[in-house]
Amino acid sequence: MSGTARQAPPKDPRSARTRARLRQALLDECSERSLAEVAVAALVRRAGIGRATFYVHYDSLEDLAVDACADVVREAVEALHAWRGRPDPVHAPPALVEFFASLTPHSALYRALLAPGGGGPLGRVLHRDLRAYSLRERELAGAADAPLVASAVAATFAGVLADWLHGMIEADSEEVAHQVWQLLVALHASR
């Protein structure tokens, strides 16, 4: 990532509203054209703010795009951990199936930020957050292999998600959800 989203103090509702308007404007722009074709001028016009205000909050369009897509990372982490008890080794939890299905409206934007293999700015955020969550779970369970499995889970999920979005895995959203789930259950079962 070329920079980072500049975060205003969390108690500043005006900054939060401005960032929300910018995120929505970007999603709206990207529903009409690719991220590479989006210009800051068009974006701020759509958001109803000044260009200088954009740069108060973000260093670049990529930073804004990653921030706008951060919810997809949170949703992925939650979907992967939306089961209780002993996991079904074949069928993904409904939340994971729903997660994959929900990607369609902004799949071009996700592809722009998530490179094949799971790299790219969104891939780095996804890997970091998913690895941290998985590591915490494995350590709480007392697993000796916690760092290894946490890394494998994060890399596997990010890689499969990215490759599927880029058309390298031929499966519909439900099929890929079940397939990636089976891989992740096998990784967690490894000792």
Side-chain angles (χ1 to χ4, degrees):
M1 191 160 48
S2 61
T4 57
R6 296 181 185 141
Q7 297 298 317
K11 296 184 186 219
D12 184 354
R14 290 180 305 168
S15 289
R17 281 192 302 271
T18 299
R19 286 192 307 274
R21 286 170 61 188
L22 285 166
R23 288 190 300 266
Q24 187 58 53
L26 180 78
L27 292 174
D28 293 345
E29 284 288 318
C30 286
S31 68
E32 299 169 6
R33 61 191 52 80
S34 73
L35 179 60
E37 297 171 318
V38 174
V40 172
L43 180 75
V44 297
R45 193 170 32 255
R46 185 180 283 249
I49 65 163
R51 187 179 184 96
T53 302
F54 172 86
Y55 289 107
V56 166
H57 296 282
Y58 297 99
D59 289 332
S60 68
L61 279 173
E62 183 180 275
D63 290 339
L64 169 58
V66 171
D67 188 34
C69 295
D71 283 346
V72 79
V73 171
R74 209 169 16 264
E75 290 167 10
V77 172
E78 289 172 8
L80 284 171
H81 297 91
W83 54 273
R84 297 288 176 252
R86 190 166 182 83
D88 179 335
V90 176
H91 300 98
L96 186 60
V97 174
E98 291 167 15
F99 165 76
F100 274 93
S102 75
L103 298 175
T104 304
H106 299 293
S107 60
L109 178 58
Y110 301 140
R111 280 192 302 273
L113 299 170
L114 190 61
L122 190 59
R124 287 188 294 274
V125 173
L126 178 60
H127 186 276
R128 179 197 67 214
D129 291 358
L130 185 53
R131 185 183 187 285
Y133 194 108
S134 184
L135 182 60
R136 272 191 313 274
E137 280 195 342
R138 300 286 297 175
E139 287 174 343
L140 286 172
D145 60 353
L148 177 67
V149 173
S151 290
V153 164
T156 299
F157 185 78
V160 170
L161 174 62
D163 288 356
W164 177 71
L165 284 168
H166 283 277
M168 299 167 73
I169 296 173
E170 292 187 26
D172 66 27
S173 60
E174 185 171 354
E175 291 169 330
V176 77
H178 293 307
Q179 291 168 347
V180 76
W181 179 251
Q182 291 164 18
L183 289 171
L184 298 176
V185 168
L187 285 171
H188 273 285
S190 66
R191 302 272 177 221

